[in-house]
Amino acid sequence: MYAVVKTGGKQYKVAAGEKIKVEQIAADVGQEIVIDQVLAVGSGADLKIGTPLVSGATVTAVVVAHGRHDKVRIFKMRRRKHYQKHGGHRQNYTELEISTVNG
């Protein structure tokens, strides 16, 4: 059984036992969270699609870790203008382990 959930402005296809990295969630490591924004639930050939959410469907997950992604390098340059600008960004994430999909 799998589900398509929405968290942090993004959509993820998840199934029980998978680990995913989502935008940072304010939860402690080891805490169980419930994601109730489920857009679709499927099992084999059977698929329930919500309008926009599937009523009564939830996904429970356990917070495994918090961390930061690899650095994204930002380099801006204007040729012949003696202008160069360096920057970088590291996005925070929360790693979740999906325990159950209810739908």
Side-chain angles (χ1 to χ4, degrees):
M1 187 172 218
Y2 66 91
V4 177
V5 297
K6 179 179 156 188
T7 179
K10 298 177 181 68
Q11 298 175 7
Y12 301 93
K13 181 181 175 185
V14 297
E18 288 184 351
K19 287 186 180 180
I20 60 169
K21 291 181 180 177
V22 298
E23 294 293 321
Q24 190 170 28
I25 297 172
D28 295 329
V29 174
Q31 183 177 346
E32 186 173 80
I33 62 169
V34 177
I35 301 171
D36 56 355
Q37 291 192 339
V38 180
L39 303 172
V41 176
S43 177
D46 184 34
L47 178 65
K48 275 194 271 183
I49 298 176
T51 55
L53 302 175
V54 177
S55 62
T58 59
V59 173
T60 58
V62 177
V63 176
V64 176
H66 296 288
R68 300 182 82 185
H69 286 289
D70 293 335
K71 181 173 275 196
V72 177
R73 298 280 179 192
I74 300 161
F75 178 67
K76 297 180 179 180
M77 186 181 93
R78 302 285 183 257
R79 63 183 186 161
R80 300 185 303 271
K81 305 298 182 196
H82 203 70
Y83 169 80
Q84 287 185 354
K85 190 173 185 180
H86 298 273
H89 176 73
R90 290 184 71 187
Q91 186 71 25
N92 296 325
Y93 69 84
T94 299
E95 188 172 1
L96 300 176
E97 183 172 5
I98 308 300
S99 52
T100 59
V101 176
N102 302 319

PDB file of all heavy atoms in Angstrom, residues 2 11 16 20 26 30 33 35 43 50-51 56 58-59 68 71 75 78 82 84 91-95 97:
ATOM      1  N   TYR A   2       0.548   2.217  -0.812  1.00  0.00           N
ATOM      2  CA  TYR A   2       1.322   3.452  -0.892  1.00  0.00           C
ATOM      3  C   TYR A   2       0.377   4.638  -0.817  1.00  0.00           C
ATOM      4  O   TYR A   2      -0.828   4.503  -0.956  1.00  0.00           O
ATOM      5  CB  TYR A   2       2.158   3.492  -2.174  1.00  0.00           C
ATOM      6  CG  TYR A   2       1.361   3.569  -3.442  1.00  0.00           C
ATOM      7  CD1 TYR A   2       1.033   4.797  -3.997  1.00  0.00           C
ATOM      8  CD2 TYR A   2       0.930   2.419  -4.089  1.00  0.00           C
ATOM      9  CE1 TYR A   2       0.287   4.885  -5.152  1.00  0.00           C
ATOM     10  CE2 TYR A   2       0.188   2.490  -5.251  1.00  0.00           C
ATOM     11  CZ  TYR A   2      -0.128   3.722  -5.781  1.00  0.00           C
ATOM     12  OH  TYR A   2      -0.862   3.799  -6.927  1.00  0.00           O
ATOM     13  N   GLN A  11       5.233  17.195  -2.682  1.00  0.00           N
ATOM     14  CA  GLN A  11       4.482  15.946  -2.647  1.00  0.00           C
ATOM     15  C   GLN A  11       5.446  14.770  -2.719  1.00  0.00           C
ATOM     16  O   GLN A  11       6.419  14.809  -3.475  1.00  0.00           O
ATOM     17  CB  GLN A  11       3.494  15.885  -3.818  1.00  0.00           C
ATOM     18  CG  GLN A  11       2.455  16.971  -3.776  1.00  0.00           C
ATOM     19  CD  GLN A  11       1.559  16.968  -4.995  1.00  0.00           C
ATOM     20  OE1 GLN A  11       1.624  16.077  -5.824  1.00  0.00           O
ATOM     21  NE2 GLN A  11       0.715  17.987  -5.092  1.00  0.00           N
ATOM     22  N   ALA A  16       5.060   1.987   3.475  1.00  0.00           N
ATOM     23  CA  ALA A  16       5.522   1.586   4.809  1.00  0.00           C
ATOM     24  C   ALA A  16       6.949   1.045   4.728  1.00  0.00           C
ATOM     25  O   ALA A  16       7.289   0.283   3.831  1.00  0.00           O
ATOM     26  CB  ALA A  16       4.587   0.538   5.394  1.00  0.00           C
ATOM     27  N   ILE A  20      12.308   8.945   4.024  1.00  0.00           N
ATOM     28  CA  ILE A  20      12.289  10.105   3.136  1.00  0.00           C
ATOM     29  C   ILE A  20      12.848  11.317   3.872  1.00  0.00           C
ATOM     30  O   ILE A  20      12.797  11.379   5.097  1.00  0.00           O
ATOM     31  CB  ILE A  20      10.870  10.414   2.604  1.00  0.00           C
ATOM     32  CG1 ILE A  20       9.902  10.698   3.756  1.00  0.00           C
ATOM     33  CG2 ILE A  20      10.353   9.303   1.737  1.00  0.00           C
ATOM     34  CD1 ILE A  20       8.569  11.250   3.304  1.00  0.00           C
ATOM     35  N   ALA A  26       9.183  20.673  13.078  1.00  0.00           N
ATOM     36  CA  ALA A  26       9.496  20.930  14.489  1.00  0.00           C
ATOM     37  C   ALA A  26       9.028  19.742  15.330  1.00  0.00           C
ATOM     38  O   ALA A  26       7.946  19.753  15.904  1.00  0.00           O
ATOM     39  CB  ALA A  26       8.837  22.215  14.952  1.00  0.00           C
ATOM     40  N   GLY A  30      12.775  10.545  17.309  1.00  0.00           N
ATOM     41  CA  GLY A  30      12.062   9.456  17.954  1.00  0.00           C
ATOM     42  C   GLY A  30      10.583   9.702  18.126  1.00  0.00           C
ATOM     43  O   GLY A  30       9.831   8.789  18.460  1.00  0.00           O
ATOM     44  N   ILE A  33       4.882  11.194  14.288  1.00  0.00           N
ATOM     45  CA  ILE A  33       4.038  12.256  13.759  1.00  0.00           C
ATOM     46  C   ILE A  33       3.004  11.647  12.814  1.00  0.00           C
ATOM     47  O   ILE A  33       3.212  10.562  12.261  1.00  0.00           O
ATOM     48  CB  ILE A  33       4.848  13.350  13.031  1.00  0.00           C
ATOM     49  CG1 ILE A  33       5.579  12.779  11.827  1.00  0.00           C
ATOM     50  CG2 ILE A  33       5.807  14.031  13.965  1.00  0.00           C
ATOM     51  CD1 ILE A  33       6.166  13.836  10.935  1.00  0.00           C
ATOM     52  N   ILE A  35       0.755  12.475   9.424  1.00  0.00           N
ATOM     53  CA  ILE A  35       0.560  13.340   8.265  1.00  0.00           C
ATOM     54  C   ILE A  35      -0.852  13.071   7.758  1.00  0.00           C
ATOM     55  O   ILE A  35      -1.173  11.956   7.333  1.00  0.00           O
ATOM     56  CB  ILE A  35       1.598  13.048   7.167  1.00  0.00           C
ATOM     57  CG1 ILE A  35       3.018  13.254   7.721  1.00  0.00           C
ATOM     58  CG2 ILE A  35       1.357  13.925   5.959  1.00  0.00           C
ATOM     59  CD1 ILE A  35       4.108  12.785   6.802  1.00  0.00           C
ATOM     60  N   SER A  43      -3.341   0.719  -3.680  1.00  0.00           N
ATOM     61  CA  SER A  43      -2.968  -0.635  -3.298  1.00  0.00           C
ATOM     62  C   SER A  43      -3.132  -1.519  -4.524  1.00  0.00           C
ATOM     63  O   SER A  43      -4.260  -1.885  -4.875  1.00  0.00           O
ATOM     64  CB  SER A  43      -3.842  -1.128  -2.146  1.00  0.00           C
ATOM     65  OG  SER A  43      -3.520  -2.461  -1.825  1.00  0.00           O
ATOM     66  N   GLY A  50      -8.086  11.891  -3.833  1.00  0.00           N
ATOM     67  CA  GLY A  50      -8.881  12.850  -3.073  1.00  0.00           C
ATOM     68  C   GLY A  50      -9.230  14.078  -3.874  1.00  0.00           C
ATOM     69  O   GLY A  50      -8.658  14.353  -4.923  1.00  0.00           O
ATOM     70  N   THR A  51     -10.186  14.838  -3.333  1.00  0.00           N
ATOM     71  CA  THR A  51     -10.579  16.097  -3.969  1.00  0.00           C
ATOM     72  C   THR A  51     -10.604  17.216  -2.949  1.00  0.00           C
ATOM     73  O   THR A  51     -11.665  17.549  -2.462  1.00  0.00           O
ATOM     74  CB  THR A  51     -11.976  15.960  -4.604  1.00  0.00           C
ATOM     75  OG1 THR A  51     -12.880  15.525  -3.596  1.00  0.00           O
ATOM     76  CG2 THR A  51     -12.000  14.996  -5.756  1.00  0.00           C
ATOM     77  N   GLY A  56     -10.228  10.728   5.828  1.00  0.00           N
ATOM     78  CA  GLY A  56      -9.939   9.648   6.763  1.00  0.00           C
ATOM     79  C   GLY A  56      -8.600   8.971   6.566  1.00  0.00           C
ATOM     80  O   GLY A  56      -8.238   8.093   7.345  1.00  0.00           O
ATOM     81  N   THR A  58      -4.561   8.661   6.688  1.00  0.00           N
ATOM     82  CA  THR A  58      -3.426   9.227   7.418  1.00  0.00           C
ATOM     83  C   THR A  58      -2.182   8.392   7.159  1.00  0.00           C
ATOM     84  O   THR A  58      -2.270   7.221   6.788  1.00  0.00           O
ATOM     85  CB  THR A  58      -3.684   9.254   8.939  1.00  0.00           C
ATOM     86  OG1 THR A  58      -3.921   7.920   9.395  1.00  0.00           O
ATOM     87  CG2 THR A  58      -4.848  10.154   9.297  1.00  0.00           C
ATOM     88  N   VAL A  59      -1.044   9.009   7.380  1.00  0.00           N
ATOM     89  CA  VAL A  59       0.245   8.330   7.294  1.00  0.00           C
ATOM     90  C   VAL A  59       0.985   8.639   8.584  1.00  0.00           C
ATOM     91  O   VAL A  59       1.119   9.807   8.958  1.00  0.00           O
ATOM     92  CB  VAL A  59       1.062   8.817   6.077  1.00  0.00           C
ATOM     93  CG1 VAL A  59       2.456   8.244   6.086  1.00  0.00           C
ATOM     94  CG2 VAL A  59       0.353   8.454   4.783  1.00  0.00           C
ATOM     95  N   ARG A  68      21.287  18.680   7.462  1.00  0.00           N
ATOM     96  CA  ARG A  68      21.365  19.693   6.419  1.00  0.00           C
ATOM     97  C   ARG A  68      21.861  19.048   5.135  1.00  0.00           C
ATOM     98  O   ARG A  68      22.760  18.218   5.161  1.00  0.00           O
ATOM     99  CB  ARG A  68      22.311  20.821   6.844  1.00  0.00           C
ATOM    100  CG  ARG A  68      21.857  21.504   8.130  1.00  0.00           C
ATOM    101  CD  ARG A  68      22.773  22.629   8.496  1.00  0.00           C
ATOM    102  NE  ARG A  68      22.391  23.800   7.709  1.00  0.00           N
ATOM    103  CZ  ARG A  68      23.074  24.935   7.723  1.00  0.00           C
ATOM    104  NH1 ARG A  68      24.148  25.049   8.451  1.00  0.00           N
ATOM    105  NH2 ARG A  68      22.657  25.957   7.018  1.00  0.00           N
ATOM    106  N   LYS A  71      25.859  21.534   0.300  1.00  0.00           N
ATOM    107  CA  LYS A  71      25.857  22.948  -0.054  1.00  0.00           C
ATOM    108  C   LYS A  71      25.615  23.139  -1.543  1.00  0.00           C
ATOM    109  O   LYS A  71      26.183  22.428  -2.373  1.00  0.00           O
ATOM    110  CB  LYS A  71      27.185  23.598   0.327  1.00  0.00           C
ATOM    111  CG  LYS A  71      27.250  25.092  -0.002  1.00  0.00           C
ATOM    112  CD  LYS A  71      28.499  25.742   0.521  1.00  0.00           C
ATOM    113  CE  LYS A  71      28.273  26.135   1.954  1.00  0.00           C
ATOM    114  NZ  LYS A  71      29.287  27.102   2.426  1.00  0.00           N
ATOM    115  N   PHE A  75      27.116  31.310  -7.836  1.00  0.00           N
ATOM    116  CA  PHE A  75      28.173  32.157  -8.396  1.00  0.00           C
ATOM    117  C   PHE A  75      27.555  33.069  -9.438  1.00  0.00           C
ATOM    118  O   PHE A  75      26.938  32.615 -10.397  1.00  0.00           O
ATOM    119  CB  PHE A  75      29.268  31.294  -9.026  1.00  0.00           C
ATOM    120  CG  PHE A  75      30.368  32.087  -9.668  1.00  0.00           C
ATOM    121  CD1 PHE A  75      31.221  32.861  -8.896  1.00  0.00           C
ATOM    122  CD2 PHE A  75      30.532  32.071 -11.034  1.00  0.00           C
ATOM    123  CE1 PHE A  75      32.236  33.602  -9.476  1.00  0.00           C
ATOM    124  CE2 PHE A  75      31.551  32.812 -11.631  1.00  0.00           C
ATOM    125  CZ  PHE A  75      32.400  33.571 -10.852  1.00  0.00           C
ATOM    126  N   ARG A  78      29.375  39.160 -13.981  1.00  0.00           N
ATOM    127  CA  ARG A  78      29.113  39.969 -15.161  1.00  0.00           C
ATOM    128  C   ARG A  78      30.441  40.119 -15.897  1.00  0.00           C
ATOM    129  O   ARG A  78      31.405  40.642 -15.324  1.00  0.00           O
ATOM    130  CB  ARG A  78      28.594  41.361 -14.779  1.00  0.00           C
ATOM    131  CG  ARG A  78      27.338  41.361 -13.959  1.00  0.00           C
ATOM    132  CD  ARG A  78      26.130  41.043 -14.812  1.00  0.00           C
ATOM    133  NE  ARG A  78      24.907  41.104 -14.031  1.00  0.00           N
ATOM    134  CZ  ARG A  78      24.250  40.033 -13.589  1.00  0.00           C
ATOM    135  NH1 ARG A  78      24.712  38.832 -13.839  1.00  0.00           N
ATOM    136  NH2 ARG A  78      23.145  40.168 -12.895  1.00  0.00           N
ATOM    137  N   HIS A  82      34.060  43.525 -13.938  1.00  0.00           N
ATOM    138  CA  HIS A  82      34.812  43.336 -12.693  1.00  0.00           C
ATOM    139  C   HIS A  82      33.863  43.041 -11.514  1.00  0.00           C
ATOM    140  O   HIS A  82      34.005  43.577 -10.431  1.00  0.00           O
ATOM    141  CB  HIS A  82      35.672  44.581 -12.403  1.00  0.00           C
ATOM    142  CG  HIS A  82      36.848  44.273 -11.517  1.00  0.00           C
ATOM    143  ND1 HIS A  82      37.918  43.531 -11.957  1.00  0.00           N
ATOM    144  CD2 HIS A  82      37.087  44.573 -10.226  1.00  0.00           C
ATOM    145  CE1 HIS A  82      38.787  43.403 -10.952  1.00  0.00           C
ATOM    146  NE2 HIS A  82      38.292  44.026  -9.894  1.00  0.00           N
ATOM    147  N   GLN A  84      32.090  39.841  -9.434  1.00  0.00           N
ATOM    148  CA  GLN A  84      31.923  38.427  -9.110  1.00  0.00           C
ATOM    149  C   GLN A  84      31.360  38.329  -7.708  1.00  0.00           C
ATOM    150  O   GLN A  84      31.780  39.063  -6.817  1.00  0.00           O
ATOM    151  CB  GLN A  84      33.243  37.667  -9.157  1.00  0.00           C
ATOM    152  CG  GLN A  84      33.769  37.438 -10.546  1.00  0.00           C
ATOM    153  CD  GLN A  84      35.018  36.571 -10.532  1.00  0.00           C
ATOM    154  OE1 GLN A  84      35.536  36.233  -9.481  1.00  0.00           O
ATOM    155  NE2 GLN A  84      35.497  36.228 -11.713  1.00  0.00           N
ATOM    156  N   GLN A  91      20.134  23.625   2.923  1.00  0.00           N
ATOM    157  CA  GLN A  91      18.747  23.522   3.364  1.00  0.00           C
ATOM    158  C   GLN A  91      18.634  22.496   4.487  1.00  0.00           C
ATOM    159  O   GLN A  91      19.215  21.426   4.420  1.00  0.00           O
ATOM    160  CB  GLN A  91      17.863  23.108   2.183  1.00  0.00           C
ATOM    161  CG  GLN A  91      16.389  23.097   2.481  1.00  0.00           C
ATOM    162  CD  GLN A  91      15.813  24.485   2.638  1.00  0.00           C
ATOM    163  OE1 GLN A  91      16.336  25.452   2.107  1.00  0.00           O
ATOM    164  NE2 GLN A  91      14.733  24.584   3.374  1.00  0.00           N
ATOM    165  N   ASN A  92      17.870  22.837   5.527  1.00  0.00           N
ATOM    166  CA  ASN A  92      17.621  21.910   6.625  1.00  0.00           C
ATOM    167  C   ASN A  92      16.586  20.873   6.198  1.00  0.00           C
ATOM    168  O   ASN A  92      15.699  21.159   5.403  1.00  0.00           O
ATOM    169  CB  ASN A  92      17.098  22.660   7.855  1.00  0.00           C
ATOM    170  CG  ASN A  92      18.110  23.632   8.409  1.00  0.00           C
ATOM    171  OD1 ASN A  92      19.306  23.376   8.370  1.00  0.00           O
ATOM    172  ND2 ASN A  92      17.642  24.746   8.915  1.00  0.00           N
ATOM    173  N   TYR A  93      16.708  19.662   6.755  1.00  0.00           N
ATOM    174  CA  TYR A  93      15.737  18.617   6.462  1.00  0.00           C
ATOM    175  C   TYR A  93      15.453  17.787   7.707  1.00  0.00           C
ATOM    176  O   TYR A  93      16.197  17.829   8.679  1.00  0.00           O
ATOM    177  CB  TYR A  93      16.193  17.704   5.316  1.00  0.00           C
ATOM    178  CG  TYR A  93      17.384  16.822   5.644  1.00  0.00           C
ATOM    179  CD1 TYR A  93      17.209  15.598   6.290  1.00  0.00           C
ATOM    180  CD2 TYR A  93      18.676  17.182   5.287  1.00  0.00           C
ATOM    181  CE1 TYR A  93      18.294  14.784   6.573  1.00  0.00           C
ATOM    182  CE2 TYR A  93      19.752  16.385   5.569  1.00  0.00           C
ATOM    183  CZ  TYR A  93      19.560  15.181   6.213  1.00  0.00           C
ATOM    184  OH  TYR A  93      20.631  14.373   6.504  1.00  0.00           O
ATOM    185  N   THR A  94      14.357  17.047   7.655  1.00  0.00           N
ATOM    186  CA  THR A  94      13.990  16.071   8.669  1.00  0.00           C
ATOM    187  C   THR A  94      13.840  14.735   7.963  1.00  0.00           C
ATOM    188  O   THR A  94      13.142  14.637   6.957  1.00  0.00           O
ATOM    189  CB  THR A  94      12.673  16.447   9.357  1.00  0.00           C
ATOM    190  OG1 THR A  94      12.842  17.711  10.008  1.00  0.00           O
ATOM    191  CG2 THR A  94      12.264  15.412  10.384  1.00  0.00           C
ATOM    192  N   GLU A  95      14.507  13.706   8.480  1.00  0.00           N
ATOM    193  CA  GLU A  95      14.403  12.373   7.893  1.00  0.00           C
ATOM    194  C   GLU A  95      13.320  11.597   8.626  1.00  0.00           C
ATOM    195  O   GLU A  95      13.334  11.500   9.843  1.00  0.00           O
ATOM    196  CB  GLU A  95      15.734  11.634   7.980  1.00  0.00           C
ATOM    197  CG  GLU A  95      15.742  10.338   7.222  1.00  0.00           C
ATOM    198  CD  GLU A  95      17.124   9.700   7.150  1.00  0.00           C
ATOM    199  OE1 GLU A  95      18.078  10.264   7.703  1.00  0.00           O
ATOM    200  OE2 GLU A  95      17.216   8.621   6.555  1.00  0.00           O
ATOM    201  N   GLU A  97      10.871   7.997   8.854  1.00  0.00           N
ATOM    202  CA  GLU A  97      10.670   6.591   8.471  1.00  0.00           C
ATOM    203  C   GLU A  97       9.168   6.323   8.542  1.00  0.00           C
ATOM    204  O   GLU A  97       8.557   6.474   9.603  1.00  0.00           O
ATOM    205  CB  GLU A  97      11.418   5.639   9.384  1.00  0.00           C
ATOM    206  CG  GLU A  97      11.275   4.198   8.968  1.00  0.00           C
ATOM    207  CD  GLU A  97      12.159   3.252   9.755  1.00  0.00           C
ATOM    208  OE1 GLU A  97      12.831   3.699  10.702  1.00  0.00           O
ATOM    209  OE2 GLU A  97      12.159   2.057   9.419  1.00  0.00           O
TER     210      GLU A  97
END
